[in-house]
Structures are given as structure tokens and as C-alpha cells.
Amino acid sequence: MDLENISSDIMDKVITEMNSYDYNSFSDEDIKEALNKDYLSVKNFQALLSPKAINYLEEMAQKAKLFRERYFGNSVYIFTPLYISNYCDNYCVYCGFNSHNKIKRARLNFEQIEQELKEIAKSGLQEILILTGESERYSNVEYIGEACKLAENILIM
Ligand code: SF4
């Protein structure tokens, strides 16, 4: 595998925070403080995830609504996901496609991708999310690039 090693310390930071998270240590004041801020620290997020925060769900929902409307308005964005290959070399524990799972694997050829795209085009939807697992052997950059070209030709006509 020729994956780039980005030498990130993010995983260590997340694990350290997770191990030191004492969810019973947060008070009502901690939760109110988090609810009154526009930008939250890790501790603020932890307060909102603590058991005491169950009494503040309505306030949290109102605040989430306010921010959602501020940044996204009242719009709904619809797109169609198209999985063109589910082979993957990785093992992300949350993912059904991870390489340790014994599932049926498939990789669409270009004719099959075209057929799927034509069906999607009939629905009137033009936004598409093309997905694969991460596999240099089954879904390399050239394969994904060809799929994108097909999508561009079929959906934007
Ligand atoms: S498909 Fe993506 S999320 Fe799933 S195991 Fe592979 S790399 Fe991870």
C-alpha cells in the first residue's frame, strides 16, 4: 500500500480526551455555560454530552435550530449515492465495507455505471455522490475518474 503517512497526533488526542472524560463531573452551571457560548471548547461539548444535560434537551434543540437556520437557511439538499465498488483494504470498525467483514463484494464495470446513472437521470436528480471503498486494486483514481466523466456526461445534459 502506498498510503501517505501524515503523522497526525489526532488519534492520540482523541483517546486521551476519551479516557479522561468523567461524565459525572459536570454541573448544571457547566451545561448552561456551554449553551451560552457561540464557540464551544472540548470541555463544553463534554458537558453537553453528560448525563445532567438530559434536562437541557429543549434548549439544545432550540440552539441547534438557530444555528442551522443561520448557516443553511431552510433549504434541503438532495443527492443520490451511487456505490460503484465495495472492495476495501481498510478496517474502519464502524463500516460495513471494512475488509474483515465477510460480505458479498462487487465492482461495477463502466457499462453498469452508465446504466445506473441513466436510471438516476430519469428521476430528475442531478446531484450524485459516487462512492467506493479504498482499494488501489479495485477502485483506483483512474477508475473513479472515468466514473466521474460518465456522471458528468449523463447527468448534466
Ligand atoms: S469503505 Fe471507507 S469507511 Fe469503510 S472501511 Fe473502507 S475506508 Fe473505512
Side-chain angles (χ1 to χ4, degrees), residues 77-103:
Y77 187 74
I78 297 178
F79 63 86
T80 310
L82 174 58
Y83 284 84
I84 57 175
S85 170
N86 67 353
Y87 287 92
C88 189
D89 298 332
N90 295 335
Y91 175 50
C92 304
V93 288
Y94 55 84
C95 178
F97 293 161
N98 86 51
S99 58
H100 292 205
N101 279 348
K102 303 277 172 260
I103 58 168

Side-chain angles (χ1 to χ4, degrees), residues 31-40 48 56-71:
I31 295 157
K32 285 178 196 161
E33 181 193 317
L35 282 168
N36 282 324
K37 287 172 78 176
D38 275 358
Y39 297 97
L40 305 190
L48 295 178
Y56 297 85
L57 289 181
E58 184 55 34
E59 286 94 328
M60 279 194 256
Q62 292 298 336
K63 185 144 191 186
K65 181 171 184 279
L66 187 81
F67 276 85
R68 195 257 303 152
E69 285 172 352
R70 183 186 300 173
Y71 294 111

Side-chain angles (χ1 to χ4, degrees), residues 3-156:
L3 295 181
E4 186 184 1
N5 184 350
I6 57 173
S7 304
S8 170
D9 61 350
I10 293 288
M11 188 173 83
D12 291 336
K13 283 183 181 166
V14 170
I15 290 173
T16 303
E17 287 292 347
M18 186 181 76
N19 290 337
S20 65
Y21 180 41
D22 177 6
Y23 46 83
N24 284 320
S25 68
F26 294 94
S27 64
D28 289 295
E29 284 64 41
D30 294 324
I31 295 157
K32 285 178 196 161
E33 181 193 317
L35 282 168
N36 282 324
K37 287 172 78 176
D38 275 358
Y39 297 97
L40 305 190
S41 66
V42 171
K43 289 283 166 227
N44 295 143
F45 277 113
Q46 290 176 341
L48 295 178
L49 291 170
S50 70
K52 272 229 164 82
I54 191 122
N55 299 320
Y56 297 85
L57 289 181
E58 184 55 34
E59 286 94 328
M60 279 194 256
Q62 292 298 336
K63 185 144 191 186
K65 181 171 184 279
L66 187 81
F67 276 85
R68 195 257 303 152
E69 285 172 352
R70 183 186 300 173
Y71 294 111
F72 302 106
N74 233 355
S75 57
V76 176
Y77 187 74
I78 297 178
F79 63 86
T80 310
L82 174 58
Y83 284 84
I84 57 175
S85 170
N86 67 353
Y87 287 92
C88 189
D89 298 332
N90 295 335
Y91 175 50
C92 304
V93 288
Y94 55 84
C95 178
F97 293 161
N98 86 51
S99 58
H100 292 205
N101 279 348
K102 303 277 172 260
I103 58 168
K104 196 167 177 187
R105 307 271 171 180
R107 173 193 191 270
L108 301 187
N109 61 34
F110 294 124
E111 263 176 28
Q112 291 168 319
I113 294 173
E114 200 172 328
Q115 203 178 331
E116 292 289 330
L117 288 166
K118 282 180 179 163
E119 287 305 313
I120 292 167
K122 280 187 206 163
S123 74
L125 289 172
Q126 290 192 321
E127 306 292 339
I128 191 165
L129 179 64
I130 293 177
L131 297 140
T132 69
E134 193 171 292
S135 166
E136 181 61 28
R137 183 170 169 207
Y138 289 102
S139 48
N140 61 18
V141 173
E142 288 74 27
Y143 172 70
I144 295 169
E146 285 306 314
C148 291
K149 282 185 208 157
L150 284 173
E152 189 180 18
N153 288 338
I154 292 169
L155 295 176
I156 308 173

